[in-house]
Amino acid sequence: MKITLYSMFSRVTVLKRLLLGLIVGLLAARLIGGVAPPENMLVHLITGSLMGMGYAWLFGTQTPRGMADLLNGFPVAIGAWVLLGVNLYPLLTGSSPMWQANAIITALPTLIAYLLMGSLTGLGYGAICHWFGQRLGLLTAVVDPPPVQTHLVILGGGYAGVAAAETLEAEFAHDPTVGIWLVSSTNYLLHTPMLSEVAASAVNAQHISPPLRSAFRRVQVVQGSVERVDLTERIVYLAADAHSPQSQLPFHQLVVAVGAIPNFFGNQSIEANSFTFKSLDDAVRLRNHIIDRFERADHEADAAVRQALLTFVVAGGGFAGVELMGSLNDFTRGITASYPNLDPDEVRIVLVHSGETILPELSPTLGQYAQEKLAERGVEFMLKTRVTGAEAGCVLLGEKAIATHTFVWTAGNRPSPVLQQLGVPLTQRGQLEVNSYLVSPTIPYLWAAGDCAQVPDKHSRTGFAPPTAQHALREGKVIGHNIAATLRKRGLTEFDFKTLGSLSTLGHQLAVAEIFGYRFAGLLAWLMWRTIYLSKLPTLEKRVRVGLDWLLDLFFPPDIVQTIDFGRETKEDIYDKS
Ligand SMILES: Cc1cc2nc3c(=O)[nH]c(=O)nc-3n(C[C@H](O)[C@H](O)[C@H](O)COP(=O)(O)OP(=O)(O)OC[C@H]3O[C@@H](n4cnc5c(N)ncnc54)[C@H](O)[C@@H]3O)c2cc1C
């Protein structure tokens, strides 16, 4: 029979492990205290018990492994030394923390004592688990887990899908008969508010996209593309590809959170000749394309062709378009220093918007402010103007045209077309209709959230929840709780969330924000934007990485390394497109 420390452990098991850690730590402290500084045995005993519990907390679920147990004691010992020996104990005795080099040198002998104590704790803990673990109830015999009886399948690894999966994982943490699957075409969660920073080379692409797999312990992540869903047979069919050899997933409850895609309103010329700005691929491709245009412009003698290469047009004055515009403006003007043959005044950034003021989601005064500030920084606005078409090398605005090689379309979204494969009637906008419990009014095992769902919202002007991340993730949580309540035959919770606020960055140290009805603009709003969205970025690791990117950005110019080769266009190609 296979013995392991890791299983569906209960709170009692955790408490027993902590107790064992405490006892082993105390014994180790008693032993080491006799031969190593400091002289004070009480300090040793307190340290030992804390270290022992820390060890049990961190490594108590591992199978005893001899040498590895000893080595595991070292990081615990070093952590305890820094926390207790260098900081806490000196403070408790009225001295200052031992941060200076000479103080740390005097504390080194105690580090040796801590390391000895740590390794002894690890060895002792592992040995007791090895010989007595099963009798003490610390080890669990892993017999075949009970078969999964209830299949919960979530489609979409965005804010809504991940929030639903996290909530379901917590709800069924101790019930192995419930299996949870999360299907997503990408293997990461994209933190969209920072997408413009990727396009502008301010933040590394991986840093805003935590991997889905590391977010879960029990949820099975399947990278794959949903092709269709049979709601009668209750089976999800995935496109057969290398990522998803498992082509069918049966379900008892289905959550649909597949988000939205760009909407070109049937204009094929725009679709064929524009960049979209929704995914990580889009941002990386755009960044590379812009650098590529600069490389070409740098050795282009024809002024008209050079001007087209250095003209960047964004359609759409909503959050996505304006944030992108602000970041691109900084990026393109910032990198001209690396291209000595180019005149910074040749860079042209144009925002085309059909409304009178940009950022219609915010108060008109903030939209006006954003417009004025961006105009001061060189952005050109074409308001009350619609893009009517696009060709290679040119954007059409009715009678007028702008020669450009970079046209980004952010002027519309529509729900993912995969919804049409569900075989249920959709709303006029193509969304899946759900009631305030986020379940389909006609199919009790079909749930939907996020940009692909029409969610009733009494706080919104339209009567439906707006397509934002803050709504999507709260809807996902409500679905998680409601599925659990359905399976446990309890009452459902209504989705009831009032928008906290909206923020939009406009580029370097400039933003606008409206939070709880209060308006902010300028540097303060920009600091709020950074603080709020950094705190919302999942995982500490990614937050640290983005923080470091921002820090380095203060000292170094934008990175112009081109990581996608678009192939060698001939000179005629460039002329033809302008
Ligand atoms: C540039 C930009 C900036 C934004 N800034 C903000 C902001 O500052 N604040 C804010 O609140 N909101 C912002 N938003 C809006 C926000 O990103 C969306 O409202 C939110 O992502 C919606 O979440 P969701 O889970 O419904 O969809 P998404 O986050 O889009 O996730 C959809 C998921 O479904 C998966 N998927 C799609 N089709 C399939 C398929 N066929 N098979 C398998 N998987 C599939 C995708 O891979 C993805 O994982 C921004 C959006 C963009 C594009």
Side-chain angles (χ1 to χ4, degrees):
M1 185 167 36
K2 193 180 157 207
I3 302 290
T4 175
L5 276 167
Y6 184 83
S7 72
M8 303 293 298
F9 51 85
S10 65
R11 284 199 186 98
V12 178
T13 317
V14 174
L15 284 176
K16 279 186 191 170
R17 284 182 191 146
L18 287 178
L19 186 66
L20 174 64
L22 187 141
I23 294 168
V24 176
L26 275 176
L27 287 173
R30 183 69 193 83
L31 269 172
I32 301 301
V35 292
E39 303 300 306
N40 190 335
M41 182 55 82
L42 184 64
V43 171
H44 262 298
L45 295 180
I46 293 172
T47 311
S49 47
L50 289 176
M51 269 173 64
M53 286 195 290
Y55 183 92
W57 185 262
L58 288 173
F59 300 108
T61 55
Q62 290 186 359
T63 313
R65 282 177 301 165
M67 192 62 183
D69 295 329
L70 185 144
L71 294 177
N72 283 342
F74 288 161
V76 179
I78 293 170
W81 181 69
V82 172
L83 201 75
L84 305 173
V86 174
N87 288 290
L88 195 64
Y89 291 151
L91 278 175
L92 289 176
T93 52
S95 332
S96 339
M98 304 164 91
W99 291 342
Q100 278 150 356
N102 54 352
I104 288 200
I105 288 167
T106 56
L108 279 180
T110 57
L111 174 62
I112 294 167
Y114 275 80
L115 289 174
L116 283 171
M117 236 190 285
S119 52
L120 215 60
T121 305
L123 265 184
Y125 188 96
I128 293 173
C129 280
H130 183 70
W131 285 306
F132 307 105
Q134 216 177 351
R135 222 176 304 157
L136 293 173
L138 294 161
L139 298 166
T140 320
V142 173
V143 277
D144 285 338
V148 171
Q149 287 162 5
T150 309
H151 293 237
L152 310 179
V153 174
I154 300 156
L155 308 181
Y159 292 102
V162 168
E166 279 173 349
T167 312
L168 285 169
E169 183 170 82
E171 288 277 0
F172 296 105
H174 303 297
D175 186 353
T177 64
V178 175
I180 308 162
W181 284 263
L182 176 70
V183 183
S184 178
S185 42
T186 59
N187 78 342
Y188 54 81
L189 167 71
L190 177 63
H191 191 49
T192 48
M194 289 184 180
L195 202 58
S196 62
E197 305 235 338
V198 172
S201 227
V203 168
N204 193 311
Q206 289 99 303
H207 297 174
I208 66 158
S209 38
L212 292 173
R213 285 178 189 281
S214 57
F216 305 107
R217 290 174 62 181
R218 281 197 55 216
V219 172
Q220 298 194 43
V221 176
V222 180
Q223 188 182 5
S225 202
V226 178
E227 236 175 25
R228 84 187 163 86
V229 178
D230 186 331
L231 281 173
T232 316
E233 295 294 322
R234 301 203 199 183
I235 298 176
V236 171
Y237 292 90
L238 305 181
D241 60 27
H243 289 124
S244 49
Q246 185 182 12
S247 59
Q248 297 181 14
L249 283 172
F251 63 86
H252 293 96
Q253 302 283 333
L254 180 70
V255 181
V256 181
V258 286
I261 63 164
N263 190 354
F264 300 97
F265 305 101
N267 191 319
Q268 288 173 0
S269 72
I270 295 179
E271 184 167 357
N273 294 294
S274 63
F275 285 87
T276 48
F277 191 59
K278 279 231 35 106
S279 66
L280 203 56
D281 283 1
D282 289 344
V284 172
R285 185 159 281 276
L286 184 59
R287 172 189 167 277
N288 275 279
H289 169 83
I290 292 169
I291 297 167
D292 193 72
R293 297 300 101 172
F294 270 81
E295 294 294 344
R296 283 160 203 250
D298 193 52
H299 56 76
E300 178 54 62
D302 185 308
V305 176
R306 207 169 53 243
Q307 182 61 76
L309 286 166
L310 295 178
T311 298
F312 305 92
V313 180
V314 175
F319 282 122
V322 171
E323 293 197 341
L324 175 64
M325 183 94 288
S327 301
L328 286 193
N329 193 40
D330 289 346
F331 178 51
T332 49
R333 295 186 196 284
I335 63 174
T336 43
S338 305
Y339 298 90
N341 295 328
L342 300 180
D343 178 354
D345 289 341
E346 282 180 301
V347 174
R348 191 177 169 209
I349 311 275
V350 187
L351 182 77
V352 184
H353 177 53
S354 58
E356 274 183 39
T357 330
I358 59 169
L359 295 173
E361 301 90 341
L362 295 174
S363 304
T365 45
L366 285 180
Q368 193 68 42
Y369 172 90
Q371 219 166 285
E372 282 165 20
K373 289 289 168 186
L374 283 172
E376 277 169 25
R377 290 184 175 189
V379 174
E380 226 176 282
F381 288 95
M382 294 191 169
L383 301 175
K384 294 193 267 178
T385 307
R386 281 181 190 279
V387 174
T388 52
E391 293 165 9
C394 155
V395 173
L396 305 171
L397 312 164
E399 303 288 291
K400 287 193 224 149
I402 307 175
T404 177
H405 286 248
T406 315
F407 169 42
V408 191
W409 179 256
T410 69
N413 292 314
R414 64 186 171 98
S416 167
V418 85
L419 298 187
Q420 287 154 15
Q421 308 302 322
L422 289 173
V424 289
L426 302 175
T427 66
Q428 215 178 0
R429 284 208 59 230
Q431 288 168 307
L432 202 56
E433 186 190 349
V434 288
N435 60 24
S436 55
Y437 302 107
L438 305 177
V439 67
S440 157
T442 50
I443 303 171
Y445 48 85
L446 177 63
W447 309 78
D451 288 4
C452 72
Q454 180 177 275
V455 177
D457 180 358
K458 56 184 179 229
H459 304 289
S460 149
R461 259 180 293 157
T462 59
F464 299 108
T468 72
Q470 57 182 306
H471 285 82
L473 72 88
R474 279 157 185 102
E475 288 160 16
K477 278 185 194 166
V478 170
I479 286 190
H481 290 306
N482 280 348
I483 290 180
T486 303
L487 297 180
R488 291 173 184 142
K489 306 213 178 334
R490 294 198 195 132
L492 303 186
T493 310
E494 270 193 298
F495 174 72
D496 182 3
F497 170 69
K498 202 168 172 197
T499 307
L500 302 173
S502 305
L503 302 98
S504 176
T505 172
L506 306 173
H508 183 63
Q509 299 186 355
L510 193 65
V512 282
E514 197 161 345
I515 294 171
F516 298 124
Y518 295 99
R519 290 174 213 150
F520 305 88
L523 179 64
L524 178 64
W526 181 79
L527 289 171
M528 287 164 74
W529 185 93
R530 283 211 156 177
T531 314
I532 290 172
Y533 283 120
L534 190 65
S535 70
K536 301 275 173 217
L537 176 63
T539 79
L540 176 66
E541 179 217 327
K542 297 292 179 190
R543 273 175 233 149
V544 171
R545 288 186 189 280
V546 167
L548 287 175
D549 283 343
W550 283 344
L551 185 70
L552 295 175
D553 201 36
L554 294 174
F555 302 103
F556 300 107
D559 192 339
I560 53 164
V561 172
Q562 192 181 339
T563 52
I564 300 176
D565 184 357
F566 293 101
R568 298 270 76 85
E569 271 176 326
T570 63
K571 203 164 174 60
E572 287 68 36
D573 290 332
I574 296 178
Y575 274 90
D576 284 350
K577 287 178 184 173
S578 322

